[in-house]
Amino acid sequence: MRGDTKYYDILGVSPDASESEIKKAYKKLAMKYHPDKNPDAGDKFKEISHAYETLSDPEARDMYDRYGEDGPGSGGGFGFGGGMSQEELFAQMFGGGGFFGMGDEDFPHPGGHRHSGRSKPRRGENISHNLNVTLEDLYNGKTTKLSLEKNVICGLCHGQCHQKCSTCDGRGVKLVVRQIGPGMMQQMQVTCPQCDGEGQTMRDKDKCKKCKGNKVVNEKKVMEIFIEKGMRNGEKIPMKGEADQLPDVEPGDVILVLQQKPHGLFERSGADLSCKITLPLVEALCGFSKVLVTHLDGRGIHVEQPSGSVIKPGQVKKIVGEGMPHFKRPMDKGDLYITFEVEFPEDGWATMTKLRSLEDLLPGRGETVMEPELVDHCKLTNASMDDYGAHQKQGNAYDSDDDDDEDGRGPGVQCAQS
């Protein structure tokens, strides 16, 4: 045995200590120096963990006894270093049901929790799925059905048709020692070649006839989804534990994300709704009493606009309490905003006699603006803003409109700044 006893000294045991004595010493020191209990002892706790990591593994301890701290695996540590982070080491030591046989209830677990001897099962990933809905669905609420295909644990073998790999003892990894130079050895952690890191193996003849050794089978399930009044675009509805199943893994959730389809009339902002309504000119000037719009629940919204109260093009009015219901408070609703457009009659819709009579009813034309001395008489024609800016000419302000300079005989003008 080499004289290097640093790791034994850290744990406070003799070099001849048994595995149980090393384990007991580490447990005592870990409880004392755990960062959650002693925040200033983080480095000490890492030192203790590193020493235990080496001495708790028979192969790593033997290498340390023979070569000391600077022997094989120095820099990465003995045991299960091999590039593994401290968190991964703790997870493998304590998160897998007592990797080194530690199941005491009062043993400190990483994160400050007490380890109860039975670790909490790993949790599967959540699955997101878009659910298309209409604005009517979000206004009225709706119960709908969704067909979902997912993996479930085989009912015949219950996912237990595999056996623990004898090569790696179910760890999925094994330790190998290789020579990297004269008298220099390196210890590494590699994926088990027998089970490809799964920790389990299975012979072909032992495969389950139902799942073919996959542990799970595909199953279709119809779920009932309740869309509550007032939910919004992008709202998430979690379906607890409905994701894919795996043995010894807690299923994740299926998260439904609401995707609202565009509506033909209404637009939504928060709890408010908006729409555009076109009125004929006579109603804009003389008022009306009619169903102005059909709401998302099929109700007609009747509005009375008194005569003489003019609605102008682009004017906005609102109806209080006719917007979207508030989520979880469906009796409270936002407002409905209406932008009015006015439809004018086509050319030639009335005779000159009727137009003169109409002019007598309308407000006066207003005062005539004084005309300038020079006046051009022009005519209005129909146009589109799509053509706006189309008559642009490339060039600069000093380009000539003629080709007099092309033969080199220009006007001979010379400019000089005085």
Side-chain angles (χ1 to χ4, degrees):
M1 177 184 295
R2 183 170 172 161
D4 191 345
T5 61
K6 176 181 177 181
Y7 290 171
Y8 294 101
D9 296 339
I10 291 174
L11 296 180
V13 296
S14 69
D16 298 325
S18 64
E19 291 185 11
S20 61
E21 290 174 333
I22 292 175
K23 183 190 302 183
K24 183 177 180 180
Y26 173 70
K27 174 184 172 182
K28 182 179 179 180
L29 293 173
M31 293 179 65
K32 180 178 180 181
Y33 293 104
H34 193 279
D36 287 353
K37 190 174 182 180
N38 195 340
D40 298 329
D43 293 339
K44 179 68 174 178
F45 183 74
K46 290 181 180 179
E47 187 180 53
I48 295 169
S49 299
H50 182 71
Y52 178 74
E53 175 191 355
T54 300
L55 300 182
S56 61
D57 182 80
E59 294 182 20
R61 181 179 179 181
D62 180 64
M63 297 295 291
Y64 174 73
D65 289 340
R66 291 168 59 188
Y67 299 103
E69 184 178 8
D70 298 328
S74 64
F78 289 88
F80 300 98
M84 183 180 294
S85 67
Q86 191 79 15
E87 291 77 9
E88 292 171 328
L89 172 64
F90 288 159
Q92 191 162 8
M93 289 173 66
F94 307 123
F99 185 68
F100 290 108
M102 298 181 183
D104 306 72
E105 292 186 1
D106 59 346
F107 194 81
H109 187 275
H113 302 291
R114 299 287 177 180
H115 191 54
S116 62
R118 295 187 60 187
S119 62
K120 185 177 180 180
R122 292 184 295 117
R123 195 174 191 279
E125 295 184 358
N126 295 336
I127 299 176
S128 294
H129 179 79
N130 290 338
L131 181 62
N132 294 324
V133 293
T134 64
L135 192 56
E136 285 85 354
D137 296 337
L138 301 177
Y139 183 89
N140 299 300
K142 181 181 179 180
T143 299
T144 185
K145 293 183 178 180
L146 177 67
S147 179
L148 177 69
E149 288 191 9
K150 65 175 184 177
N151 292 329
V152 298
I153 297 176
C154 176
L156 184 61
C157 68
H158 304 290
Q160 303 298 325
C161 56
H162 290 65
Q163 297 178 346
K164 183 170 70 173
C165 177
S166 59
T167 302
C168 65
D169 197 30
R171 299 174 182 175
V173 295
K174 60 178 297 186
L175 294 174
V176 296
V177 179
R178 68 177 183 179
Q179 185 173 354
I180 59 175
M184 299 178 63
M185 308 294 289
Q186 183 183 35
Q187 183 172 272
M188 299 176 60
Q189 176 182 279
V190 298
T191 301
C192 176
Q194 182 67 25
C195 65
D196 293 328
E198 294 292 330
Q200 297 176 329
T201 58
M202 180 181 55
R203 296 175 296 182
D204 290 340
K205 67 176 184 178
D206 295 331
K207 286 185 178 180
C208 172
K209 295 180 180 180
K210 184 176 182 180
C211 67
K212 308 300 181 185
N214 295 319
K215 304 181 184 180
V216 294
V217 294
N218 190 264
E219 183 180 272
K220 181 179 289 187
K221 181 177 182 179
V222 178
M223 297 188 300
E224 194 170 76
I225 313 300
F226 179 54
I227 302 169
E228 297 186 56
K229 294 181 179 181
M231 282 187 163
R232 303 189 182 190
N233 182 51
E235 196 96 39
K236 295 179 180 179
I237 303 177
M239 309 299 292
K240 299 293 185 181
E242 292 294 346
D244 290 330
Q245 298 179 5
L246 282 173
D248 302 321
V249 176
E250 179 185 351
D253 303 333
V254 173
I255 301 177
L256 303 178
V257 183
L258 301 183
Q259 298 292 321
Q260 180 196 316
K261 301 176 184 178
H263 195 271
L265 176 61
F266 295 104
E267 290 186 0
R268 178 184 184 179
S269 179
D272 294 329
L273 289 173
S274 68
C275 66
K276 292 182 179 180
I277 299 294
T278 300
L279 295 177
L281 179 60
V282 63
E283 291 183 351
L285 294 175
C286 303
F288 55 85
S289 177
K290 66 175 185 178
V291 174
L292 197 61
V293 64
T294 300
H295 215 305
L296 295 168
D297 56 358
R299 290 179 299 118
I301 303 299
H302 187 276
V303 175
E304 291 190 9
Q305 178 71 2
S307 300
S309 181
V310 177
I311 292 182
K312 304 174 181 63
Q315 188 172 1
V316 178
K317 291 182 176 292
K318 74 176 181 180
I319 301 176
V320 177
E322 287 296 347
M324 291 291 295
H326 289 272
F327 184 41
K328 300 297 186 183
R329 293 184 290 114
M331 299 303 294
D332 297 332
K333 296 181 180 180
D335 301 331
L336 172 59
Y337 288 77
I338 302 176
T339 301
F340 288 97
E341 300 295 338
V342 178
E343 182 181 14
F344 285 80
E346 299 291 337
D347 295 345
W349 66 278
T351 63
M352 291 302 299
T353 302
K354 291 182 178 179
L355 290 176
R356 292 191 185 96
S357 299
L358 176 61
E359 186 173 359
D360 292 337
L361 297 174
L362 296 174
R365 293 178 179 269
E367 298 181 1
T368 302
V369 180
M370 181 179 297
E371 295 183 353
E373 295 182 359
L374 181 62
V375 176
D376 285 339
H377 294 272
C378 303
K379 183 179 180 181
L380 292 173
T381 60
N382 293 329
S384 171
M385 289 303 294
D386 293 338
D387 300 329
Y388 178 68
H391 296 87
Q392 295 185 16
K393 181 178 179 181
Q394 300 296 329
N396 57 62
Y398 300 101
D399 288 342
S400 175
D401 291 336
D402 52 48
D403 299 330
D404 291 343
D405 293 337
E406 292 184 359
D407 57 358
R409 295 178 298 169
V413 178
Q414 296 181 356
C415 297
Q417 186 176 2
S418 59

